[in-house]
Amino acid sequence: MKILVIGGGGREHAIVDALSRSPQAEKIYCAPGNAGIARQAECVAIKDTEVERLRDFALEKGIDLTVVGPEAALAAGVTDVFRAAGLSIFGPTKAATRIESSKDFAKELMRKYDIPTAAFRTFDNYAEASAYVKAGPLPTVLKYDGLAAGKGVVIAETQEQADEALRDMLLDNKFGQGRVVVEEFLTGPEFSFMCFVSETKVWPMVLAQDHKRAYDGDMGPNTGGMGAYSPLPFITAEDEAYALEHILKPTAAAMVAEGCPFEGVLYGGLMKTPQGIKVIEFNARFGDPETEVVLPRLKSDIVDIFRAVAEGGDAQPEWHDFATLGVVLASKGYPGSYEKGHEIKGLDKVESAVYHMGTKADGDRIVTAGGRVLFVVGRGATIAEAREAALRDVARIECDNLFHRTDIGHWALTGK
Ligand code: AMP
Ligand code: GLY
């Protein structure tokens, strides 16, 4: 089969890597890809949101299956455009992608179908939102209702912070003209539960946990994710069964009932609160960096699973027992401004898997080209061993403009 992967980060590198283990994948293309992906696939210079160009490329090359990574491509309707052209594609339609692109859609769906989540109210008027927040408890959670590149969520500890965020979102339209969801503040460990979903069929992946803050001790600003690992010792088999039966499966069924059946990866961002497991958010795609620690544990042929979802059919994903733990190497300054173009050396000395998140080839050299640059994924019988392997290999990578966290996996290793 000829397969096209859309996207160009660590997640897409892990997808390409999993595909390259399949005997069914004869030729893999990746648009736009990156310097690491280029070693395992042919990169094509088309942006992930140029959906008509991607469709024309797929038609011209006779692509048998396309796999979508980023939410921007899904929200731009790539699945609808490919299907209209008779092309097989793994990823939800634009209508089904609303479970990620609209917080309000997701929250109303959960309310209507009794899926456990934080209590909430939605506002489009600043004065009403402000009065509601003033009458309620702190901290409070304010979420802009639309895609805001991970920056649309504010946890306000004080009334002043809450008011400033409401002004940004509803008076100054900092992210665009949208509404705001005001949500109850929940506590407990967060985890990511991704499932392959084909209408009402739901095939769970192994669990992973992401680390969103920039610095050790979960300090500093929120990022796209600085590390991840799998499995999660603090989530029991019962917790997992509860989440599958009361959250992921009912949500898939609800999407069918609402007339927008979901096909692709349904990502539950969940929290184990003292009142039970609740949804923090849904995403309509593979998580990044969770995918890079989850797919290496997949024992089954991923092409069978993608086809079962894209074309209808059955799959029974099987998983390896070993643990994976990945550490992000990010450009100094990220998630704020940072420099690009710094040379990376030592990659040939690394034994772990290295997924490229933001790199570029410059002649024979590989240089930094993004905020998150590399993701080093160690493997071991235990999380502690996987962590050791990852940190050993991080130390082998030479670059003068990268930093990383040293405490990835702390929830599993120390219980806090
Ligand atoms: P989201 O973009 O919805 O995943 O929110 C980003 C982060 O904000 C989450 O990963 C949580 O750490 C935090 N967060 C979101 N909603 C809540 C909530 N209701 N209670 C506590 N923390 C939350
Ligand atoms: N790792 C969080 C996300 O992919 O949204």
Side-chain angles (χ1 to χ4, degrees), residues 11 71 100 192 210 212 224-225 267 281 283 285-290 372:
R11 164 181 52 205
E71 61 274 27
E100 171 168 3
S192 306
D210 179 14
K212 290 204 166 105
Y267 166 126
E281 65 164 347
N283 290 325
R285 50 166 175 89
F286 280 110
D288 193 359
E290 291 93 328
R372 294 188 298 172

Side-chain angles (χ1 to χ4, degrees), residues 116 191 193 195 202 204-205 207 235-250 270 277:
F191 62 103
F193 192 3
C195 292
V202 178
M205 297 186 221
L207 303 177
I235 303 297
T236 65
E238 274 159 30
D239 291 335
E240 198 173 328
Y242 175 89
L244 184 62
E245 297 304 325
H246 294 272
I247 295 175
L248 278 306
K249 283 186 182 174
L270 310 181
I277 294 176

Side-chain angles (χ1 to χ4, degrees), residues 151-408:
K151 300 198 174 76
V153 176
V154 173
I155 299 182
E157 309 272 351
T158 65
Q159 291 296 351
E160 290 69 39
Q161 283 170 0
D163 223 61
E164 191 188 326
L166 289 175
R167 281 175 179 280
D168 280 351
M169 294 180 192
L170 288 171
L171 288 182
D172 301 339
N173 297 332
K174 198 169 154 189
F175 304 109
Q177 192 129 33
R179 298 185 291 178
V180 171
V181 177
V182 180
E183 223 178 73
E184 169 197 14
F185 177 74
L186 302 175
T187 55
E190 284 180 63
F191 62 103
S192 306
F193 192 3
M194 300 189 284
C195 292
F196 295 105
V197 172
S198 174
E199 305 201 334
T200 56
K201 287 183 257 180
V202 178
W203 300 306
M205 297 186 221
V206 288
L207 303 177
Q209 189 183 47
D210 179 14
H211 295 239
K212 290 204 166 105
R213 301 293 198 102
Y215 314 127
D216 279 356
D218 290 325
M219 306 294 276
N222 260 314
T223 70
M226 293 297 292
Y229 64 99
S230 176
L232 305 182
F234 51 87
I235 303 297
T236 65
E238 274 159 30
D239 291 335
E240 198 173 328
Y242 175 89
L244 184 62
E245 297 304 325
H246 294 272
I247 295 175
L248 278 306
K249 283 186 182 174
T251 301
M255 294 296 278
V256 175
E258 291 297 307
C260 47
F262 193 96
E263 287 150 313
V265 173
L266 182 60
Y267 166 126
L270 310 181
M271 191 183 268
K272 184 174 174 170
T273 79
Q275 291 79 40
I277 294 176
K278 297 192 183 189
V279 178
I280 294 288
E281 65 164 347
F282 282 116
N283 290 325
R285 50 166 175 89
F286 280 110
D288 193 359
E290 291 93 328
T291 302
E292 295 94 307
V293 295
V294 165
L295 290 186
R297 297 188 59 206
L298 179 65
K299 207 189 274 182
S300 316
D301 185 335
I302 200 165
V303 172
D304 289 337
I305 301 171
F306 285 151
R307 290 187 69 179
V309 172
E311 292 154 26
D314 260 307
Q316 264 328 315
E318 289 183 38
W319 302 90
H320 292 289
D321 286 331
F322 60 76
T324 46
L325 185 145
V327 176
V328 171
L329 297 174
S331 295
K332 287 179 186 164
Y334 173 78
S337 60
Y338 53 84
E339 293 174 5
K340 295 182 185 177
H342 289 261
E343 184 173 6
I344 304 164
K345 288 188 190 163
L347 288 171
D348 50 329
K349 298 188 196 104
V350 172
E351 289 158 41
S352 299
V354 179
Y355 296 116
H356 290 228
M357 301 181 114
T359 62
K360 222 174 72 180
D362 174 24
D364 287 344
R365 306 184 319 151
I366 297 216
V367 299
T368 62
R372 294 188 298 172
V373 175
L374 295 168
F375 193 46
V376 180
V377 179
R379 216 180 253 205
T382 61
I383 293 166
E385 280 178 34
R387 174 175 182 273
E388 248 171 67
L391 289 175
R392 178 200 63 213
D393 281 327
V394 163
R396 291 173 170 160
I397 295 173
E398 297 162 50
C399 179
D400 58 14
N401 198 48
L402 296 177
F403 77 99
H404 65 274
R405 281 183 61 164
T406 61
D407 66 344
I408 303 302

